[in-house]
Amino acid sequence: GQNIDQPTEMTATEGAIVQINCTYQTSGFNGLFWYQQHAGEAPTFLSYNVLDGLEEKGRFSSFLSRSKGYSYLLLKELQMKDSASYFCAVVYNQGGKLIFGQGTELSVKP
Amino acid sequence: ETGVTQTPRHLVMGMTNKKSLKCEQHLGHNAMYWYKQSAKKPLELMFVYSLEERVENNSVPSRFSPECPNSSHLFLHLHTLQPEDSALYLCASSQEAPGQGGQPQHFGDGTRLSIL
């Protein structure tokens, strides 16, 4: 299988930092995406990692360790509008399929 | 304007009905996808089309029938569905199919389908 694991729910405070972890099976790995989905809306692309290290994009950063089968999405200076579900999705094999995790529902409290 | 438009937004149908979901992308992409999103479950990939040819079919029941007449349009034809088919059906597109570089998928807002 290609199990992708992420926490189901997380809660954080406005202005704080939160890290959402994602683990996956490494065999056949060919890239990892993070998506954000607000309730009732389409998922939107946040980041893509294929090499080890940190990709920073404004308040959001994504990290990848291919050897460990591990990624995280880091959200800084949290805002109420960051309350949403966050999905990691892994591409397996060249020309292969994109497998989504079950998503992490993040609630940002005042 | 998301670039990927799905119609209808909501659909209620009986188990004996036949209906179709429509997806249109205005991004000039070559690959299009159908996903099923049920509550508390991962997005489930149903079908992938690349350059109008079906390249992936994830063991989806035959009561779901996709059609891709051109690179901008994708349909999902539905017939004799079951109550467990009630879900959000999302269409997406990307420049190329997965695995060919970091091509993100752009999603439509989905069709909320309810089977009575």
Side-chain angles (χ1 to χ4, degrees):
Chain A
Q2 295 152 330
N3 291 342
I4 298 175
D5 292 317
Q6 36 178 146
T8 305
E9 297 176 335
M10 296 184 73
T11 302
T13 304
E14 192 175 14
I17 299 173
V18 71
Q19 178 174 311
I20 303 174
N21 296 325
C22 172
T23 59
Y24 61 89
Q25 294 191 356
T26 58
S27 178
F29 174 84
N30 198 30
L32 184 145
F33 293 90
W34 282 96
Y35 284 87
Q36 178 192 60
Q37 185 179 26
H38 286 100
E41 297 182 11
T44 55
F45 167 74
L46 290 177
S47 67
Y48 173 70
N49 295 74
V50 67
L51 300 176
D52 290 349
L54 190 68
E55 295 281 341
E56 296 187 76
K57 194 181 292 186
R59 293 189 300 114
F60 293 6
S61 303
S62 57
F63 171 83
L64 178 69
S65 170
R66 288 174 296 171
S67 62
K68 295 181 180 178
Y70 169 67
S71 174
Y72 67 72
L73 180 69
L74 192 71
L75 292 76
K76 302 177 185 176
E77 302 170 16
L78 279 173
Q79 302 175 8
M80 300 298 290
K81 67 177 182 179
D82 297 329
S83 293
S85 291
Y86 293 85
F87 296 89
C88 67
V90 177
V91 182
Y92 282 101
N93 298 317
Q94 195 69 23
K97 57 178 66 175
L98 184 64
I99 307 296
F100 280 80
Q102 68 177 30
T104 299
E105 187 172 351
L106 174 66
S107 298
V108 180
K109 308 290 187 186
Chain B
E1 173 61 53
T2 64
V4 180
T5 304
Q6 290 187 243
T7 55
R9 290 297 307 277
H10 301 274
L11 178 62
V12 179
M13 57 187 286
M15 288 190 284
T16 58
N17 293 157
K18 290 185 180 181
K19 296 286 185 183
S20 295
L21 309 185
K22 179 182 176 182
C23 176
E24 183 174 1
Q25 58 99 358
H26 315 277
L27 302 168
H29 288 167
N30 292 321
M32 296 188 76
Y33 313 79
W34 280 117
Y35 287 89
K36 177 183 179 183
Q37 187 175 31
S38 302
K40 307 298 183 185
K41 288 187 176 180
L43 272 74
E44 300 171 48
L45 179 64
M46 300 174 73
F47 301 104
V48 181
Y49 278 82
S50 180
L51 296 173
E52 301 152 47
E53 288 193 21
R54 190 189 308 181
V55 297
E56 184 78 32
N57 177 357
N58 269 8
S59 302
V60 178
S62 59
R63 57 185 183 269
F64 295 92
S65 175
E67 179 190 0
C68 188
N70 55 61
S71 60
S72 299
H73 293 85
L74 187 65
F75 295 90
L76 188 63
H77 304 299
L78 316 172
H79 64 97
T80 59
L81 295 192
Q82 304 299 310
E84 62 265 27
D85 297 323
S86 297
L88 180 68
Y89 289 84
L90 289 163
C91 173
S93 71
S94 62
Q95 186 61 51
E96 304 294 343
Q100 300 184 31
Q103 303 291 337
Q105 294 182 17
H106 296 255
F107 286 83
D109 287 333
T111 295
R112 175 69 62 185
L113 177 65
S114 299
I115 306 300
L116 301 179

